[in-house]
Amino acid sequence: MYHFDTFMTELEQRNPAQPEFIQATSEVVESIIDVVNDNPAYLNAKILERITEPDRVLSFKVEWEDDNGDVQVNRGYRVQFNNAIGPYKGGLRFHPSVTLGTLKFLGFEQTFKNSLTTLAMGGAKGGSDFNPKGKSDNEIMRFCRSFMTELYRYIGPSTDVPAGDIGVGGREIGFLYGQYKRLMIENTGILTGKGQNWGGSLIRPEATGFGAMYFADEMVKAQGDTMKGKTISVSGFGNVAWGSVMKATELGAKVVTISGPDGYIYDADGINTPEKWDYMLDLRASNNDVVEPYAKKFGAKFIKGKKPWEVAVDMAFPCAIQNELDVNDAKQLIANGVSYIVETSNMGCTTEAVQLFQGTKILFAPGKAANAGGVAVSGLEMSQNSMKLRWSIDEVDSRLHEIMVNIHEACIGEGSREDGYVDYVKGANIAGFKKVADTMLQLGY
Ligand code: 2IT
């Protein structure tokens, strides 16, 4: 028998100074502990100890030259967390906040998220403490080249397939892919999120945001509700926020906020035109990491230094980074009458915020379910690369939609309570866990 407190205390002792990893594992262990304790096969296999330990952690030095000719040194990582159900799969994050603990939390989450997609993908995450802010395109290229010069030995289309995450978009994937190709003389599906001319899948850039909105659409439908006419707050302004505002608009909702480290934009008219969407891409490409210029360009309000959670909305979509929505933000959203929280960033809400939402019966979708559309289309990109053919927009989009509907079904299946409330956290964790755990048992150790 596992006891939650004992298990977590020991896990924390083995993983000191990694609070995000402990937060992520604690949430999953709490959701699944009864399932594990009721199953002698899981207990005998020491499944909790095995599933919380990464298969492999790679750490390497990244040396590169800045535009002044000065030498810079960063640290790069790849955490290959679990490959029971398929090759390691997950993004690369370039952000100054990145530590080994961050990437272990993300790799752990990715394992269950990838399992939920129903595709054959294990979980991994990588990245660096490199800060793209203020860097020139040439500096970014030199950094990516050095990063891949180390990473290329450990990855492969059937071994480990990285992709983008915060600070890694189409441009960075291009530089990384270019270096891999130079080293290996090989055009292969080594990364996903590739460009349209060289093996990328249609809809991959939009997929995380589109998928989150498809998931949200299932949540509201399950309540006999509709997305039409809903007011939505979104945080962030990158790829995920961009896909989310486009699909929200298409579904008849109105997104009134985006945000950056400098503050948030309140656009009362809605972020609802191709011009506004394209401008988000320009903001991202500028490497400045600010949203304020949007306000001047479109006559919207800029609220300096604040988060968008103070705005009264029906639905909130954190789309930026872990723990970006805390318990005070949750209180404010609830006081303003929010009905749905769709965590589109990975672990975007603190534990206390999630507990408050669930305690007040506000429907809360965790990131590993709601944002799985991105990696799902990465999986579809891998399939297309293997077959050496390309699917149409409609083909990819309808597969993405079907996957999100199925993830929602899986959450309902494992997370419905007798009082009718759906515990999406428990639902996603149990459904994601079972497939990985059963496979680990079948494969032995
Ligand atoms: O958090 C995520 O799921 C991602 N950054 C996407 C990973 C992927 O392999 O597409």
Side-chain angles (χ1 to χ4, degrees):
M1 285 284 280
Y2 285 107
H3 297 281
F4 179 78
D5 289 339
T6 318
F7 180 80
M8 286 312 304
T9 304
E10 285 170 13
L11 192 67
E12 203 166 344
Q13 280 163 1
R14 274 205 307 285
N15 300 278
Q18 297 183 343
E20 293 155 339
F21 180 61
I22 297 305
Q23 182 183 341
T25 48
S26 162
E27 182 209 277
V28 170
V29 171
E30 190 179 358
S31 295
I32 63 174
I33 197 158
D34 289 343
V35 173
V36 174
N37 281 334
D38 285 346
N39 186 331
Y42 289 159
L43 290 172
N44 292 338
K46 289 246 168 31
I47 198 69
L48 285 191
E49 286 85 342
R50 288 168 58 199
I51 218 160
T52 52
E53 185 69 23
D55 290 351
R56 201 166 297 103
V57 170
L58 306 158
S59 170
F60 46 88
K61 181 171 62 166
V62 187
E63 299 170 331
W64 56 282
E65 189 185 313
D66 69 19
D67 287 345
N68 297 324
D70 290 333
V71 179
Q72 301 285 340
V73 184
N74 286 96
R75 195 172 289 169
Y77 301 98
R78 186 70 177 164
V79 177
Q80 296 180 330
F81 213 99
N82 186 304
N83 70 347
I85 63 176
Y88 298 109
K89 183 81 196 89
L92 298 172
R93 176 176 294 191
F94 294 168
H95 194 267
S97 68
V98 164
T99 63
L100 177 57
T102 316
L103 298 175
K104 278 173 66 182
F105 119 64
L106 288 162
F108 178 78
E109 289 282 292
Q110 198 81 44
T111 302
F112 303 102
K113 181 198 307 192
N114 292 2
S115 160
L116 285 169
T117 66
T118 69
L119 304 174
M121 297 183 289
K125 204 84 185 190
S128 174
D129 58 359
F130 173 76
N131 187 359
K133 186 180 159 120
K135 301 289 189 296
S136 70
D137 284 3
N138 274 330
E139 288 176 324
I140 290 176
M141 180 175 77
R142 287 196 293 273
F143 175 81
C144 288
R145 210 152 64 192
S146 290
F147 186 91
M148 184 54 86
T149 304
E150 285 299 321
L151 183 68
Y152 85 102
R153 309 165 204 284
Y154 310 114
I155 60 177
S158 304
T159 311
D160 183 354
V161 183
D165 193 79
I166 296 169
V168 180
R171 171 182 53 195
E172 291 76 16
I173 292 293
F175 295 149
L176 292 162
Y177 186 79
Q179 182 66 352
Y180 185 87
K181 191 165 67 65
R182 241 166 260 128
L183 292 164
M184 298 293 285
I185 329 178
E186 218 175 69
N187 274 292
T188 184
I190 183 59
L191 293 159
T192 59
K194 296 188 292 300
Q196 297 303 320
N197 295 336
W198 36 281
S201 176
L202 290 162
I203 303 290
R204 177 63 190 87
E206 295 86 349
T208 311
F210 277 21
M213 288 297 156
Y214 292 148
F215 192 90
D217 194 33
E218 291 305 302
M219 289 174 81
V220 298
K221 279 189 198 149
Q223 302 301 312
D225 199 354
T226 170
M227 295 287 288
K228 277 208 175 64
K230 290 273 185 292
T231 304
I232 291 178
S233 55
V234 160
S235 63
F237 67 97
N239 165 266
V240 175
W242 169 77
S244 299
V245 297
M246 291 193 294
K247 188 54 78 174
T249 307
E250 194 186 313
L251 294 174
K254 183 163 86 167
V255 179
V256 292
T257 70
I258 50 171
S259 71
D262 53 333
Y264 76 91
I265 297 291
Y266 178 73
D267 187 342
D269 297 337
I271 302 167
N272 53 8
T273 62
E275 205 192 348
K276 291 176 177 179
W277 303 333
D278 288 349
Y279 191 66
M280 289 173 73
L281 299 178
D282 294 345
L283 283 176
R284 161 71 174 93
S286 75
N287 301 340
N288 289 328
D289 212 13
V290 289
V291 287
E292 187 176 5
Y294 179 105
K296 291 190 194 98
K297 187 160 172 70
F298 296 108
K301 271 197 216 159
F302 172 67
I303 299 89
K304 194 178 169 159
K306 297 272 189 177
K307 297 192 271 184
W309 316 128
E310 60 188 25
V311 176
V313 289
D314 304 307
M315 309 179 84
F317 287 71
C319 294
I321 199 163
Q322 67 272 9
N323 294 326
E324 56 174 307
L325 193 162
D326 66 20
V327 71
N328 291 323
D329 301 322
K331 281 181 191 154
Q332 179 85 62
L333 280 163
I334 294 169
N336 287 338
V338 77
S339 303
Y340 304 89
I341 312 290
V342 184
E343 199 182 51
T344 312
S345 46
N346 292 308
M347 205 167 76
C349 300
T350 64
T351 306
E352 294 73 25
V354 176
Q355 283 166 353
L356 188 62
F357 290 134
Q358 293 197 319
T360 46
K361 299 265 179 79
I362 285 165
L363 288 165
F364 172 81
K368 66 170 74 68
N371 75 27
V375 75
V377 174
S378 277
L380 301 178
E381 184 168 322
M382 288 164 72
S383 307
Q384 294 168 80
N385 292 164
S386 299
M387 294 188 289
K388 302 200 186 300
L389 54 73
R390 222 164 117 79
W391 288 331
S392 66
I393 288 179
D394 286 350
E395 173 93 46
V396 179
D397 195 33
S398 72
R399 285 177 189 265
L400 167 63
H401 187 255
E402 189 186 333
I403 288 169
M404 298 314 296
V405 169
N406 288 340
I407 295 175
H408 185 267
E409 270 304 300
C411 291
I412 296 265
E414 299 284 0
S416 294
R417 285 199 207 142
E418 276 175 13
D419 64 1
Y421 181 75
V422 184
D423 183 342
Y424 283 96
V425 173
K426 197 167 183 174
N429 285 335
I430 295 178
F433 165 78
K434 277 185 176 168
K435 185 172 156 193
V436 179
D438 291 345
T439 306
M440 286 169 74
L441 263 53
Q442 286 156 16
L443 302 187
Y445 55 87

PDB file of all heavy atoms in Angstrom, residues 89-92 106 110 113-114 121 125 161-166 192 204 208 346 371-372 374-376 378-379, ligand 1:
ATOM      1  N   LYS A  89       9.019  11.969 -26.824  1.00  0.00           N
ATOM      2  CA  LYS A  89       8.437  13.072 -27.617  1.00  0.00           C
ATOM      3  C   LYS A  89       8.096  14.213 -26.698  1.00  0.00           C
ATOM      4  O   LYS A  89       7.483  14.009 -25.662  1.00  0.00           O
ATOM      5  CB  LYS A  89       7.154  12.565 -28.311  1.00  0.00           C
ATOM      6  CG  LYS A  89       6.510  13.602 -29.205  1.00  0.00           C
ATOM      7  CD  LYS A  89       7.174  13.675 -30.549  1.00  0.00           C
ATOM      8  CE  LYS A  89       6.837  14.941 -31.319  1.00  0.00           C
ATOM      9  NZ  LYS A  89       7.755  16.072 -31.040  1.00  0.00           N
ATOM     10  N   GLY A  90       8.492  15.407 -27.091  1.00  0.00           N
ATOM     11  CA  GLY A  90       8.154  16.595 -26.315  1.00  0.00           C
ATOM     12  C   GLY A  90       9.018  17.757 -26.744  1.00  0.00           C
ATOM     13  O   GLY A  90      10.019  17.577 -27.438  1.00  0.00           O
ATOM     14  N   GLY A  91       8.630  18.938 -26.330  1.00  0.00           N
ATOM     15  CA  GLY A  91       9.226  20.159 -26.835  1.00  0.00           C
ATOM     16  C   GLY A  91      10.555  20.531 -26.219  1.00  0.00           C
ATOM     17  O   GLY A  91      11.044  19.897 -25.279  1.00  0.00           O
ATOM     18  N   LEU A  92      11.135  21.593 -26.789  1.00  0.00           N
ATOM     19  CA  LEU A  92      12.335  22.243 -26.264  1.00  0.00           C
ATOM     20  C   LEU A  92      11.936  23.650 -25.829  1.00  0.00           C
ATOM     21  O   LEU A  92      11.263  24.362 -26.578  1.00  0.00           O
ATOM     22  CB  LEU A  92      13.416  22.349 -27.349  1.00  0.00           C
ATOM     23  CG  LEU A  92      13.944  21.039 -27.930  1.00  0.00           C
ATOM     24  CD1 LEU A  92      14.857  21.332 -29.125  1.00  0.00           C
ATOM     25  CD2 LEU A  92      14.691  20.228 -26.872  1.00  0.00           C
ATOM     26  N   LEU A 106       8.035  19.057 -16.776  1.00  0.00           N
ATOM     27  CA  LEU A 106       7.414  19.071 -18.103  1.00  0.00           C
ATOM     28  C   LEU A 106       7.484  17.700 -18.771  1.00  0.00           C
ATOM     29  O   LEU A 106       6.528  17.278 -19.425  1.00  0.00           O
ATOM     30  CB  LEU A 106       8.076  20.150 -18.973  1.00  0.00           C
ATOM     31  CG  LEU A 106       7.731  21.597 -18.573  1.00  0.00           C
ATOM     32  CD1 LEU A 106       8.735  22.591 -19.172  1.00  0.00           C
ATOM     33  CD2 LEU A 106       6.307  21.959 -19.007  1.00  0.00           C
ATOM     34  N   GLN A 110       4.333  15.460 -19.818  1.00  0.00           N
ATOM     35  CA  GLN A 110       4.266  15.084 -21.230  1.00  0.00           C
ATOM     36  C   GLN A 110       3.970  13.593 -21.395  1.00  0.00           C
ATOM     37  O   GLN A 110       3.274  13.180 -22.324  1.00  0.00           O
ATOM     38  CB  GLN A 110       5.592  15.442 -21.913  1.00  0.00           C
ATOM     39  CG  GLN A 110       5.522  15.505 -23.426  1.00  0.00           C
ATOM     40  CD  GLN A 110       4.963  16.818 -23.940  1.00  0.00           C
ATOM     41  OE1 GLN A 110       5.311  17.880 -23.477  1.00  0.00           O
ATOM     42  NE2 GLN A 110       4.070  16.742 -24.922  1.00  0.00           N
ATOM     43  N   LYS A 113       0.237  13.221 -20.963  1.00  0.00           N
ATOM     44  CA  LYS A 113      -0.433  13.945 -22.044  1.00  0.00           C
ATOM     45  C   LYS A 113      -0.348  13.139 -23.342  1.00  0.00           C
ATOM     46  O   LYS A 113      -1.351  12.941 -24.036  1.00  0.00           O
ATOM     47  CB  LYS A 113       0.252  15.306 -22.233  1.00  0.00           C
ATOM     48  CG  LYS A 113      -0.350  16.169 -23.314  1.00  0.00           C
ATOM     49  CD  LYS A 113       0.582  17.290 -23.761  1.00  0.00           C
ATOM     50  CE  LYS A 113       1.089  18.137 -22.617  1.00  0.00           C
ATOM     51  NZ  LYS A 113       1.743  19.383 -23.095  1.00  0.00           N
ATOM     52  N   ASN A 114       0.855  12.663 -23.643  1.00  0.00           N
ATOM     53  CA  ASN A 114       1.052  11.928 -24.890  1.00  0.00           C
ATOM     54  C   ASN A 114       0.249  10.634 -24.885  1.00  0.00           C
ATOM     55  O   ASN A 114      -0.292  10.220 -25.908  1.00  0.00           O
ATOM     56  CB  ASN A 114       2.539  11.667 -25.111  1.00  0.00           C
ATOM     57  CG  ASN A 114       3.306  12.962 -25.385  1.00  0.00           C
ATOM     58  OD1 ASN A 114       2.737  14.046 -25.364  1.00  0.00           O
ATOM     59  ND2 ASN A 114       4.597  12.843 -25.641  1.00  0.00           N
ATOM     60  N   MET A 121       3.492   7.701 -28.419  1.00  0.00           N
ATOM     61  CA  MET A 121       4.564   8.649 -28.096  1.00  0.00           C
ATOM     62  C   MET A 121       4.870   8.577 -26.612  1.00  0.00           C
ATOM     63  O   MET A 121       3.963   8.663 -25.776  1.00  0.00           O
ATOM     64  CB  MET A 121       4.133  10.093 -28.422  1.00  0.00           C
ATOM     65  CG  MET A 121       3.854  10.353 -29.895  1.00  0.00           C
ATOM     66  SD  MET A 121       3.440  12.092 -30.222  1.00  0.00           S
ATOM     67  CE  MET A 121       1.815  12.218 -29.489  1.00  0.00           C
ATOM     68  N   LYS A 125      11.236  16.152 -22.494  1.00  0.00           N
ATOM     69  CA  LYS A 125      11.271  17.606 -22.606  1.00  0.00           C
ATOM     70  C   LYS A 125      12.721  18.030 -22.572  1.00  0.00           C
ATOM     71  O   LYS A 125      13.558  17.349 -21.966  1.00  0.00           O
ATOM     72  CB  LYS A 125      10.540  18.254 -21.430  1.00  0.00           C
ATOM     73  CG  LYS A 125      10.042  19.637 -21.735  1.00  0.00           C
ATOM     74  CD  LYS A 125       8.702  19.573 -22.441  1.00  0.00           C
ATOM     75  CE  LYS A 125       8.216  20.932 -22.876  1.00  0.00           C
ATOM     76  NZ  LYS A 125       6.814  20.841 -23.325  1.00  0.00           N
ATOM     77  N   VAL A 161      12.019  12.564 -30.486  1.00  0.00           N
ATOM     78  CA  VAL A 161      11.677  13.587 -31.478  1.00  0.00           C
ATOM     79  C   VAL A 161      11.277  14.891 -30.784  1.00  0.00           C
ATOM     80  O   VAL A 161      10.134  15.060 -30.379  1.00  0.00           O
ATOM     81  CB  VAL A 161      10.533  13.094 -32.404  1.00  0.00           C
ATOM     82  CG1 VAL A 161      10.231  14.136 -33.490  1.00  0.00           C
ATOM     83  CG2 VAL A 161      10.875  11.751 -33.039  1.00  0.00           C
ATOM     84  N   PRO A 162      12.221  15.829 -30.623  1.00  0.00           N
ATOM     85  CA  PRO A 162      11.888  17.117 -30.001  1.00  0.00           C
ATOM     86  C   PRO A 162      10.998  17.984 -30.894  1.00  0.00           C
ATOM     87  O   PRO A 162      10.812  17.701 -32.086  1.00  0.00           O
ATOM     88  CB  PRO A 162      13.255  17.775 -29.786  1.00  0.00           C
ATOM     89  CG  PRO A 162      14.272  16.687 -29.919  1.00  0.00           C
ATOM     90  CD  PRO A 162      13.672  15.706 -30.882  1.00  0.00           C
ATOM     91  N   ALA A 163      10.479  19.056 -30.313  1.00  0.00           N
ATOM     92  CA  ALA A 163       9.633  20.022 -31.027  1.00  0.00           C
ATOM     93  C   ALA A 163       9.813  21.369 -30.344  1.00  0.00           C
ATOM     94  O   ALA A 163      10.773  21.561 -29.608  1.00  0.00           O
ATOM     95  CB  ALA A 163       8.177  19.565 -30.974  1.00  0.00           C
ATOM     96  N   GLY A 164       8.888  22.286 -30.591  1.00  0.00           N
ATOM     97  CA  GLY A 164       8.963  23.602 -29.969  1.00  0.00           C
ATOM     98  C   GLY A 164       8.272  23.656 -28.619  1.00  0.00           C
ATOM     99  O   GLY A 164       7.545  22.748 -28.219  1.00  0.00           O
ATOM    100  N   ASP A 165       8.536  24.723 -27.906  1.00  0.00           N
ATOM    101  CA  ASP A 165       7.827  25.094 -26.676  1.00  0.00           C
ATOM    102  C   ASP A 165       8.102  26.600 -26.525  1.00  0.00           C
ATOM    103  O   ASP A 165       8.402  27.266 -27.528  1.00  0.00           O
ATOM    104  CB  ASP A 165       8.354  24.264 -25.485  1.00  0.00           C
ATOM    105  CG  ASP A 165       7.471  24.359 -24.248  1.00  0.00           C
ATOM    106  OD1 ASP A 165       6.429  23.685 -24.212  1.00  0.00           O
ATOM    107  OD2 ASP A 165       7.794  25.126 -23.317  1.00  0.00           O
ATOM    108  N   ILE A 166       8.053  27.135 -25.323  1.00  0.00           N
ATOM    109  CA  ILE A 166       8.314  28.568 -25.145  1.00  0.00           C
ATOM    110  C   ILE A 166       9.699  28.919 -25.698  1.00  0.00           C
ATOM    111  O   ILE A 166      10.685  28.244 -25.387  1.00  0.00           O
ATOM    112  CB  ILE A 166       8.239  28.939 -23.647  1.00  0.00           C
ATOM    113  CG1 ILE A 166       6.825  28.715 -23.119  1.00  0.00           C
ATOM    114  CG2 ILE A 166       8.679  30.393 -23.435  1.00  0.00           C
ATOM    115  CD1 ILE A 166       6.713  28.801 -21.611  1.00  0.00           C
ATOM    116  N   THR A 192       9.569  17.939 -34.883  1.00  0.00           N
ATOM    117  CA  THR A 192       8.263  18.323 -35.434  1.00  0.00           C
ATOM    118  C   THR A 192       8.071  19.828 -35.263  1.00  0.00           C
ATOM    119  O   THR A 192       8.802  20.467 -34.514  1.00  0.00           O
ATOM    120  CB  THR A 192       7.101  17.552 -34.792  1.00  0.00           C
ATOM    121  OG1 THR A 192       7.115  17.796 -33.382  1.00  0.00           O
ATOM    122  CG2 THR A 192       7.209  16.065 -35.072  1.00  0.00           C
ATOM    123  N   ARG A 204       0.098  22.303 -37.691  1.00  0.00           N
ATOM    124  CA  ARG A 204       0.894  22.156 -36.467  1.00  0.00           C
ATOM    125  C   ARG A 204       1.050  23.489 -35.710  1.00  0.00           C
ATOM    126  O   ARG A 204       0.886  23.515 -34.493  1.00  0.00           O
ATOM    127  CB  ARG A 204       2.276  21.517 -36.755  1.00  0.00           C
ATOM    128  CG  ARG A 204       3.179  21.422 -35.494  1.00  0.00           C
ATOM    129  CD  ARG A 204       2.585  20.521 -34.433  1.00  0.00           C
ATOM    130  NE  ARG A 204       3.257  20.548 -33.136  1.00  0.00           N
ATOM    131  CZ  ARG A 204       3.008  21.405 -32.141  1.00  0.00           C
ATOM    132  NH1 ARG A 204       2.105  22.367 -32.300  1.00  0.00           N
ATOM    133  NH2 ARG A 204       3.625  21.319 -30.994  1.00  0.00           N
ATOM    134  N   THR A 208      -2.070  23.635 -30.910  1.00  0.00           N
ATOM    135  CA  THR A 208      -2.284  23.682 -29.462  1.00  0.00           C
ATOM    136  C   THR A 208      -3.509  24.541 -29.140  1.00  0.00           C
ATOM    137  O   THR A 208      -4.385  24.137 -28.366  1.00  0.00           O
ATOM    138  CB  THR A 208      -1.033  24.216 -28.736  1.00  0.00           C
ATOM    139  OG1 THR A 208       0.105  23.506 -29.205  1.00  0.00           O
ATOM    140  CG2 THR A 208      -1.162  24.038 -27.233  1.00  0.00           C
ATOM    141  N   ASN A 346       1.285  24.555 -19.691  1.00  0.00           N
ATOM    142  CA  ASN A 346       1.541  23.392 -18.853  1.00  0.00           C
ATOM    143  C   ASN A 346       1.592  23.807 -17.385  1.00  0.00           C
ATOM    144  O   ASN A 346       2.420  24.644 -17.029  1.00  0.00           O
ATOM    145  CB  ASN A 346       2.858  22.724 -19.260  1.00  0.00           C
ATOM    146  CG  ASN A 346       2.769  22.083 -20.629  1.00  0.00           C
ATOM    147  OD1 ASN A 346       1.855  21.292 -20.891  1.00  0.00           O
ATOM    148  ND2 ASN A 346       3.685  22.429 -21.533  1.00  0.00           N
ATOM    149  N   ASN A 371      -4.243  20.970 -23.558  1.00  0.00           N
ATOM    150  CA  ASN A 371      -3.253  21.454 -24.540  1.00  0.00           C
ATOM    151  C   ASN A 371      -2.589  20.323 -25.337  1.00  0.00           C
ATOM    152  O   ASN A 371      -1.590  20.546 -26.017  1.00  0.00           O
ATOM    153  CB  ASN A 371      -2.209  22.380 -23.882  1.00  0.00           C
ATOM    154  CG  ASN A 371      -1.181  21.637 -23.041  1.00  0.00           C
ATOM    155  OD1 ASN A 371      -0.872  20.476 -23.271  1.00  0.00           O
ATOM    156  ND2 ASN A 371      -0.605  22.320 -22.057  1.00  0.00           N
ATOM    157  N   ALA A 372      -3.177  19.130 -25.279  1.00  0.00           N
ATOM    158  CA  ALA A 372      -2.572  17.972 -25.951  1.00  0.00           C
ATOM    159  C   ALA A 372      -2.648  18.051 -27.475  1.00  0.00           C
ATOM    160  O   ALA A 372      -2.020  17.249 -28.179  1.00  0.00           O
ATOM    161  CB  ALA A 372      -3.239  16.683 -25.467  1.00  0.00           C
ATOM    162  N   GLY A 374      -1.334  20.131 -29.495  1.00  0.00           N
ATOM    163  CA  GLY A 374      -0.047  20.453 -30.110  1.00  0.00           C
ATOM    164  C   GLY A 374       0.767  19.209 -30.360  1.00  0.00           C
ATOM    165  O   GLY A 374       1.180  18.911 -31.500  1.00  0.00           O
ATOM    166  N   VAL A 375       0.971  18.444 -29.309  1.00  0.00           N
ATOM    167  CA  VAL A 375       1.766  17.230 -29.481  1.00  0.00           C
ATOM    168  C   VAL A 375       1.019  16.188 -30.319  1.00  0.00           C
ATOM    169  O   VAL A 375       1.635  15.382 -31.014  1.00  0.00           O
ATOM    170  CB  VAL A 375       2.229  16.661 -28.117  1.00  0.00           C
ATOM    171  CG1 VAL A 375       1.106  15.968 -27.376  1.00  0.00           C
ATOM    172  CG2 VAL A 375       3.417  15.721 -28.294  1.00  0.00           C
ATOM    173  N   ALA A 376      -0.316  16.231 -30.291  1.00  0.00           N
ATOM    174  CA  ALA A 376      -1.085  15.286 -31.121  1.00  0.00           C
ATOM    175  C   ALA A 376      -0.763  15.525 -32.602  1.00  0.00           C
ATOM    176  O   ALA A 376      -0.500  14.574 -33.354  1.00  0.00           O
ATOM    177  CB  ALA A 376      -2.583  15.445 -30.860  1.00  0.00           C
ATOM    178  N   SER A 378       1.906  16.955 -33.668  1.00  0.00           N
ATOM    179  CA  SER A 378       3.293  16.519 -33.834  1.00  0.00           C
ATOM    180  C   SER A 378       3.326  15.023 -34.163  1.00  0.00           C
ATOM    181  O   SER A 378       4.096  14.583 -35.029  1.00  0.00           O
ATOM    182  CB  SER A 378       4.092  16.759 -32.551  1.00  0.00           C
ATOM    183  OG  SER A 378       4.559  18.083 -32.483  1.00  0.00           O
ATOM    184  N   GLY A 379       2.510  14.255 -33.466  1.00  0.00           N
ATOM    185  CA  GLY A 379       2.408  12.813 -33.748  1.00  0.00           C
ATOM    186  C   GLY A 379       1.939  12.575 -35.180  1.00  0.00           C
ATOM    187  O   GLY A 379       2.446  11.693 -35.878  1.00  0.00           O
TER     188      GLY A 379
HETATM  189  O1  2IT B   1       3.975  21.013 -24.175  1.00  0.00           O
HETATM  190  C1  2IT B   1       3.825  20.470 -25.278  1.00  0.00           C
HETATM  191  O2  2IT B   1       3.011  19.558 -25.456  1.00  0.00           O
HETATM  192  C2  2IT B   1       4.651  20.945 -26.390  1.00  0.00           C
HETATM  193  N1  2IT B   1       5.449  21.858 -26.214  1.00  0.00           N
HETATM  194  C3  2IT B   1       4.568  20.275 -27.737  1.00  0.00           C
HETATM  195  C4  2IT B   1       5.431  19.055 -27.771  1.00  0.00           C
HETATM  196  C5  2IT B   1       5.537  18.397 -29.124  1.00  0.00           C
HETATM  197  O3  2IT B   1       6.305  17.427 -29.201  1.00  0.00           O
HETATM  198  O4  2IT B   1       4.880  18.809 -30.071  1.00  0.00           O
END
